[in-house]
Amino acid sequence: MSKHTKLSRFNNNVLAKYQVYNSVFMTLPFDEVSKTGTLLPLFNETCVEGFNEGKTPTEIVEGFFNSYKSESSEEERISLIFKFIQYIERQVVLFDAIEDSAFADVNNMNGIGTLRNIKEEATSKRVKKDLQKFLEDFKTRLVLTAHPTQFYPGTVLTILTDLQGAIKNGDLPFIKKLLSQLGKTTFFTQTKPTPYDEAISLIWYLENVFYHSISKIYDYIQTQIFDGKSIDNEIINLGFWPCGDRDGNPFVTTETTLKVARKLRQTILKNYYRDAREIKRRLSFEGVYDIIHDIEVRLYDSCISEDAPIKISQEALLEKLLTIKKTIKDQYNGLFLEEVDTFINKVKIFGYHFATMDIRQDSRVHHNVFTNIVKELQEKGDTIFPENYLELTPDEQIEVLAKVKGYINPDELSEEMAQRTLSSMQAIRTIQKENGSRGANRYIISNNQTALNVMETFAMLNLSGFEDGLHVDIAPLFETIDDLEIAPQVMRQLYSNPEYRAHVEKRNNKQNIMLGFSDGTKDGGYLMANWGIYKAKEELSKVSREFGIKVIFFDGRGGPPARGGGKTSKFYASLGPNIENQEIQLTIQGQTISSNFGNLDSSQYNMEQMLGAGIINDIFNDPKNGAMQDDDREVMVDLAETSYKAYVDFKEHPMFIPYLERMSTLKYYGKANIGSRPSKRSKSTQLDFGDLRAIPFVGSWSQLKQNVPGFYGVGTALKKYEDAGEFDKVQNFYNHSNFFKTLLENSVMSLSKSFFELTSYMAKDEEFGPFWNMIHDEYELTKRLLLKLTGHKELMENYPDGKASIACRDSIVLPLLTLQQYALKEVQNMHKEGISDQERLETFEKIITRSLFGNTNASRNSA
């Protein structure tokens, strides 16, 4: 299908419908302010014209009120501003619902990268057996995380889902009711969600989307690629971070971890119960009906509460289902065999755990905890550790830690963090007993910098009572540019340790390593972070292969390109043979969950694209996905280093932190009640770059419509080649490397979502003008050179439907962005002049905080 055709489908199925339903929405009276729906389009038009004329947000807002509400008081104007915010938030939901409902109409569900397309290509190229062999081992894991980049509360998500269905069916009366309900439903809460609240929100997606879409994909693979044969590999599985991720979240406890694990088990058993009840209607045959009825009863008894005793084990359930399958096959001509096979496949994929919980903590916390544990044990006369342990060198300590065995009761420790850390490790053991070995089997170490960081965790796990062996993968997370560079050396030291090597052997000779795109970009800029991770993967693959170990890379990705998002499937398809790719694992969070996996169509399509990426990289050898040539590597290294220097100079600029603090929305993320986790790691009131989390950092640039982390330094790096008359080297690299092309296409997306006219007034600011101009100059430079490199006249020219979607979303929230900047300027003025009216200050700060919601939701991958 041509790109023009896809754009036409977008215009017909999304844009046209939005215009119709939005006109209906704007006439619905859901508040006490008259004519809000009439005034908002006028304000939108005023914003467009104002920015075209070079006006400031303040001039635009005040001009609008002078023209249309000249007699109104400031109190009345503020009231109307909040009504505008409410309307715009709901317009974004409406657009989301329309775009999601049209997903299968806009996208080709059987196109390139989908399983049907892959199966046909494998058949035509006579590599179907190679494809089967590959899928016997290959896995994809999507790990759901609760990072606060999705502002929709559960009540709004429910309306969003119902709206999708009503729009698909063209049910206008029901759509009007839902829009009215949307108008009266709050978008924010007065209190922060608890970690358990976040877990429940994400379990909704497991139960209502992934349970069905993953099963459908697996059934297709079994019937169409394996010709109905049983597969001893789940191929797609799910991970889960809420209530297991302790890094910087003091509200996650062992009790909540166990509670969520039990909730996951209860939820999957409920789904099995519903399936058993449904399939029983078809299996009315003698010798079969009684078995499925017994399964139904036992599953019901097992899921009536989170703590209900299990009345039928996973093994027994599978055994009974296999008996039913054999009886139907032998005696009833295979009638309804497909339904039974689907049920069997679900039990194999999801087990009694539904999703695998990961436990995560920062290495610095571990080190402090471990040091205190050693001191306390020695004071009590315990001999687990030698008396001089704390005086030993790190290498000597590793030798001690490798051999440590035993059991420490957390309750007997005096320090709270030590109790919490050890009990979280022992929770893994409990979850494995209750939910099976796949319930929880990985411990992730954030900010991992040394082999000692890993071995301290290894020792604590070996002191946690795993009597039948340590069935836990220990995964170091390398995040900063420096950490990525030393990662291969760290792993070599670990692999060389006999005890740790023996542990990896017991874990099927697989080593999990997590790599952090978000903090890598925050630390080193866009090009260097992505190149640093690519290079680290090559070196880590090499050293792991040297020791006969299969390395499993787990990528910590956010939504936008600046945090590893963007076209992720294309990224994985572009990896060459030097990077281990037997499994693709990545985090999905917030907006990425709802936008890419929020309904059955989008979930199926995007998971197939992830599977397809692994298959294409291995089975269908595209020359552009080969190992990077020496000349290209030389160019990539130079681009990354040049970009890195530009970004570091920018980051170390004396105005960098003040600009974020005073000119952006950074500090308002902590006031938005959108996540259980604090917005920065330390409790210090002073902003420290190292403690700043990637989400508010990237999100703040997005709210400014500057998207700095996704492009800064790219233009400077490209200009070096233009100035030297060697731009053809970069063009050649771009034309024959899918990795480089995908990398720059994602940067183009960041540029496309920028709108510097919004903040152009800052160019005249006495204090921050030169800094704003520096950012704007890099934006213009990067845009010009990326257009030159791609040969395009406009950004995202090769993705017209995506470009149209961004344009529509930007149009919806332009008034909201304008109001946010207006409020920010008012707050700045009040601080400069001295705060004489605290209530007025709080009102304008509330406008800023409330505006975060709609802006972030509209961008879909902005934080």
Side-chain angles (χ1 to χ4, degrees):
M1 296 186 184
S2 71
K3 290 181 174 60
H4 175 73
T5 304
K6 190 171 182 181
L7 178 60
S8 299
R9 293 201 302 273
F10 175 85
N11 289 334
N12 293 333
N13 292 285
V14 180
L15 197 55
K17 283 185 179 180
Y18 174 73
Q19 290 166 348
V20 170
Y21 292 130
N22 186 48
S23 64
V24 173
F25 174 64
M26 298 297 275
T27 62
L28 295 175
F30 62 80
D31 61 67
E32 71 278 7
V33 178
S34 62
K35 297 184 180 179
T36 305
T38 306
L39 288 170
L40 181 55
L42 293 173
F43 181 51
N44 196 322
E45 189 178 326
T46 302
C47 292
V48 173
E49 292 175 355
F51 286 119
N52 285 338
E53 294 169 6
K55 291 182 179 179
T56 70
T58 300
E59 290 170 339
I60 291 169
V61 173
E62 290 180 350
F64 169 79
F65 281 120
N66 291 337
S67 297
Y68 297 101
K69 301 285 284 185
S70 57
E71 302 300 319
S72 60
S73 64
E74 184 175 67
E75 185 180 348
E76 290 170 330
R77 293 182 177 194
I78 287 171
S79 177
L80 183 58
I81 286 173
F82 279 113
K83 293 304 172 186
F84 280 169
I85 291 172
Q86 290 176 345
Y87 262 89
I88 295 165
E89 286 171 343
R90 287 152 180 80
Q91 284 179 308
V92 173
V93 175
L94 175 60
F95 189 83
D96 280 351
I98 293 168
E99 190 166 44
D100 290 344
S101 70
F103 188 91
D105 296 316
V106 175
N107 296 278
N108 185 354
M109 299 296 284
N110 297 315
I112 294 172
T114 64
L115 286 174
R116 183 179 294 276
N117 173 264
I118 285 167
K119 178 216 166 190
E120 289 173 355
E121 189 172 351
T123 302
S124 67
K125 291 182 176 178
R126 299 182 180 179
V127 292
K128 190 175 177 182
K129 288 200 178 297
D130 294 333
L131 177 58
Q132 289 175 350
K133 189 173 186 303
F134 177 77
L135 288 171
E136 284 171 357
D137 294 317
F138 180 75
K139 296 180 192 291
T140 298
R141 179 181 293 189
L142 302 175
V143 181
L144 279 67
T145 77
H147 291 333
T149 60
Q150 174 57 267
F151 287 73
Y152 294 147
T155 49
V156 175
L157 284 172
T158 302
I159 299 170
L160 179 60
T161 302
D162 293 342
L163 254 180
Q164 288 177 31
I167 290 166
K168 265 189 175 181
N169 298 328
D171 188 345
L172 185 58
F174 190 39
I175 291 171
K176 290 179 73 173
K177 283 185 176 181
L178 289 170
L179 290 176
S180 294
Q181 181 189 0
L182 191 64
K184 296 177 184 294
T185 302
T186 185
F187 268 52
F188 65 99
T189 58
Q190 298 297 331
T191 57
K192 283 181 176 288
T194 66
Y196 186 73
D197 293 334
E198 292 172 331
I200 294 301
S201 295
L202 292 188
I203 287 173
W204 184 92
Y205 286 101
L206 295 181
E207 183 172 15
N208 293 284
V209 181
F210 289 105
Y211 180 73
H212 305 285
S213 56
I214 289 176
S215 168
K216 188 175 180 180
I217 292 171
Y218 193 90
D219 286 349
Y220 181 87
I221 291 172
Q222 185 183 53
T223 57
Q224 300 300 315
I225 296 177
F226 282 85
D227 304 318
K229 296 173 185 173
S230 179
I231 315 166
D232 190 24
N233 177 25
E234 69 270 24
I235 299 175
I236 303 176
N237 56 47
L238 296 167
F240 203 76
W241 270 23
C243 294
D245 180 11
R246 284 164 166 71
D247 181 13
N249 194 335
F251 309 112
V252 174
T253 65
T254 301
E255 289 71 27
T256 56
T257 301
L258 294 172
K259 188 177 181 182
V260 168
R262 287 162 187 153
K263 187 66 179 178
L264 285 166
R265 185 186 64 199
Q266 181 197 21
T267 305
I268 192 60
L269 291 176
K270 272 186 182 178
N271 279 22
Y272 292 160
Y273 161 70
R274 292 189 194 109
D275 282 356
R277 189 176 181 185
E278 185 64 30
I279 204 172
K280 189 176 81 167
R281 295 161 63 92
R282 306 278 76 86
L283 303 182
S284 53
F285 322 125
E286 186 179 347
V288 169
Y289 182 83
D290 288 346
I291 300 176
I292 193 65
H293 176 71
D294 181 60
I295 288 173
E296 178 195 6
V297 170
R298 290 174 182 272
L299 285 172
Y300 177 80
D301 290 341
S302 301
C303 71
I304 53 176
S305 71
E306 291 174 14
D307 299 316
I310 301 301
K311 299 294 185 180
I312 181 170
S313 68
Q314 182 183 337
E315 294 74 21
L317 174 58
L318 274 174
E319 187 179 334
K320 285 176 181 289
L321 289 172
L322 289 169
T323 300
I324 290 173
K325 177 179 178 177
K326 186 175 187 307
T327 304
I328 289 175
K329 207 172 179 180
D330 293 347
Q331 300 179 28
Y332 300 104
N333 299 320
L335 195 58
F336 299 119
L337 192 61
E338 287 182 4
E339 286 82 347
V340 177
D341 269 337
T342 295
F343 198 171
I344 290 170
N345 289 341
K346 285 176 178 175
V347 178
K348 285 181 176 180
I349 296 166
F350 303 113
Y352 273 26
H353 65 288
F354 211 162
T356 302
M357 292 189 74
D358 284 333
I359 310 297
R360 181 172 79 131
Q361 184 55 282
D362 191 286
S363 66
R364 291 164 292 192
V365 173
H366 279 172
H367 184 68
N368 290 335
V369 161
F370 194 77
T371 301
N372 289 333
I373 288 174
V374 172
K375 287 178 179 177
E376 186 167 346
L377 290 176
Q378 289 178 341
E379 286 170 5
K380 292 178 179 178
D382 195 293
T383 57
I384 291 178
F385 298 97
E387 288 183 13
N388 66 337
Y389 173 81
L390 295 175
E391 283 75 51
L392 298 176
T393 65
D395 288 349
E396 290 170 334
Q397 288 180 338
I398 285 173
E399 292 302 313
V400 173
L401 296 173
K403 299 177 175 63
V404 164
K405 300 285 182 189
Y407 174 73
I408 297 175
N409 185 344
D411 296 335
E412 294 177 358
L413 297 171
S414 60
E415 198 217 4
E416 183 185 1
M417 185 54 77
Q419 293 175 351
R420 290 166 67 108
T421 303
L422 273 189
S423 65
S424 72
M425 293 179 171
Q426 295 179 14
I428 297 175
R429 190 187 64 202
T430 304
I431 294 169
Q432 289 185 351
K433 286 180 180 176
E434 295 182 357
N435 292 11
S437 60
R438 289 191 290 162
N441 54 28
R442 179 164 63 186
Y443 197 103
I444 298 163
I445 311 162
S446 301
N447 192 48
N448 197 98
Q449 298 177 336
T450 65
L452 182 63
N453 293 152
V454 175
M455 294 306 290
E456 285 177 339
T457 306
F458 182 61
M460 284 190 281
L461 284 164
N462 277 319
L463 292 169
S464 294
F466 287 88
E467 296 166 3
D468 58 342
L470 183 58
H471 305 295
V472 181
D473 296 312
I474 302 169
L477 166 53
F478 300 104
E479 300 176 84
T480 68
I481 301 302
D482 290 341
D483 292 349
L484 289 167
E485 286 183 358
I486 63 167
Q489 178 186 330
V490 169
M491 297 314 299
R492 178 176 293 280
Q493 186 175 0
L494 289 169
Y495 294 155
S496 299
N497 182 278
E499 287 79 12
Y500 187 81
R501 179 67 186 85
H503 168 70
V504 174
E505 186 174 355
K506 289 175 185 173
R507 299 300 296 158
N508 298 316
N509 270 319
K510 291 182 178 181
Q511 170 67 51
N512 285 247
I513 297 176
M514 189 173 179
L515 302 167
F517 282 78
S518 299
D519 283 292
T521 305
K522 180 170 78 79
D523 178 55
Y526 181 71
L527 282 184
M528 180 56 89
N530 280 273
W531 173 239
I533 287 173
Y534 183 93
K535 196 167 53 171
K537 283 188 173 184
E538 281 191 326
E539 291 300 315
L540 288 166
S541 297
K542 182 179 177 182
V543 71
S544 297
R545 288 169 179 170
E546 184 183 323
F547 282 86
I549 294 168
K550 187 80 71 173
V551 64
I552 308 298
F553 291 118
F554 173 28
D555 292 335
R557 294 179 176 273
R563 294 185 54 232
K567 305 285 183 184
T568 52
S569 298
K570 289 189 70 175
F571 172 85
Y572 287 113
S574 73
L575 299 178
N578 291 342
I579 293 177
E580 200 69 67
N581 202 30
Q582 190 183 38
E583 294 191 26
I584 292 176
Q585 296 192 13
L586 70 157
T587 54
I588 54 170
Q589 55 192 246
Q591 299 154 302
T592 311
I593 297 173
S594 59
S595 61
N596 290 359
F597 304 94
N599 61 41
L600 295 177
D601 289 333
S602 62
S603 175
Q604 180 183 339
Y605 180 84
N606 285 302
M607 280 192 289
E608 286 193 21
Q609 291 293 318
M610 293 303 300
L611 277 173
I615 293 167
I616 289 166
N617 194 29
D618 190 272
I619 303 297
F620 308 125
N621 297 316
D622 185 338
K624 292 184 180 181
N625 297 338
M628 198 176 291
Q629 300 301 310
D630 289 343
D631 289 348
D632 291 338
R633 183 176 292 271
E634 192 177 314
V635 172
M636 187 68 234
V637 169
D638 189 43
L639 288 171
E641 289 178 352
T642 305
S643 172
Y644 179 64
K645 184 181 185 310
Y647 179 79
V648 170
D649 288 346
F650 170 67
K651 192 176 67 172
E652 293 177 352
H653 192 286
M655 286 292 105
F656 184 87
I657 294 296
Y659 185 81
L660 279 175
E661 280 188 306
R662 288 155 52 192
M663 306 299 278
S664 83
T665 58
L666 181 66
K667 69 179 182 180
Y668 297 95
Y669 274 83
K671 301 178 180 182
N673 290 332
I674 56 171
S676 68
R677 194 172 69 167
S679 59
K680 58 192 183 77
R681 286 182 170 89
S682 77
K683 296 179 181 179
S684 170
T685 54
Q686 189 172 353
L687 179 61
D688 180 85
F689 187 80
D691 287 329
L692 185 60
R693 291 194 180 277
I695 289 168
F697 174 72
V698 174
S700 297
W701 291 112
S702 175
Q703 296 280 329
L704 285 168
K705 297 300 283 183
Q706 293 176 2
N707 290 321
V708 161
F711 72 82
Y712 201 93
V714 175
T716 297
L718 293 174
K719 189 172 185 297
K720 179 179 178 181
Y721 281 79
E722 184 184 52
D723 290 347
E726 297 181 331
F727 203 71
D728 58 309
K729 287 185 178 181
V730 184
Q731 286 178 316
N732 289 335
F733 185 19
Y734 178 83
N735 289 331
H736 66 250
S737 168
N738 282 341
F739 165 74
F740 190 49
K741 181 174 286 188
T742 303
L743 189 63
L744 294 187
E745 281 181 351
N746 282 337
S747 189
V748 166
M749 187 189 295
S750 292
L751 294 171
S752 299
K753 293 188 174 187
S754 298
F755 181 64
F756 276 82
E757 289 86 344
L758 178 71
T759 56
S760 60
Y761 70 92
M762 294 182 188
K764 299 174 184 176
D765 187 274
E766 207 170 288
E767 188 176 5
F768 292 106
F771 189 73
W772 185 92
N773 280 311
M774 188 168 71
I775 298 169
H776 184 245
D777 289 346
E778 183 68 18
Y779 164 80
E780 290 291 350
L781 177 65
T782 306
K783 179 181 176 181
R784 177 179 71 79
L785 290 175
L786 283 178
L787 288 175
K788 179 180 179 179
L789 181 63
T790 58
H792 295 159
K793 294 180 180 178
E794 296 179 336
L795 297 173
M796 291 186 70
E797 188 178 300
N798 52 336
Y799 295 103
D801 56 308
K803 184 179 176 69
S805 177
I806 290 171
C808 189
R809 290 174 177 277
D810 283 351
S811 174
I812 292 170
V813 296
L814 183 62
L816 193 57
L817 290 161
T818 308
L819 291 170
Q820 184 185 83
Q821 285 299 315
Y822 166 67
L824 277 166
K825 189 63 179 171
E826 285 296 309
V827 169
Q828 290 161 17
N829 290 340
M830 280 186 266
H831 280 295
K832 280 181 184 177
E833 296 165 6
I835 302 164
S836 58
D837 188 340
Q838 186 65 32
E839 187 177 343
R840 186 173 187 271
L841 176 68
E842 290 173 359
T843 298
F844 277 91
E845 287 188 330
K846 186 178 178 183
I847 291 172
I848 298 166
T849 303
R850 282 296 311 280
S851 65
L852 294 172
F853 292 60
N855 289 336
T856 301
N857 289 331
S859 296
R860 283 213 152 179
N861 66 353
S862 63

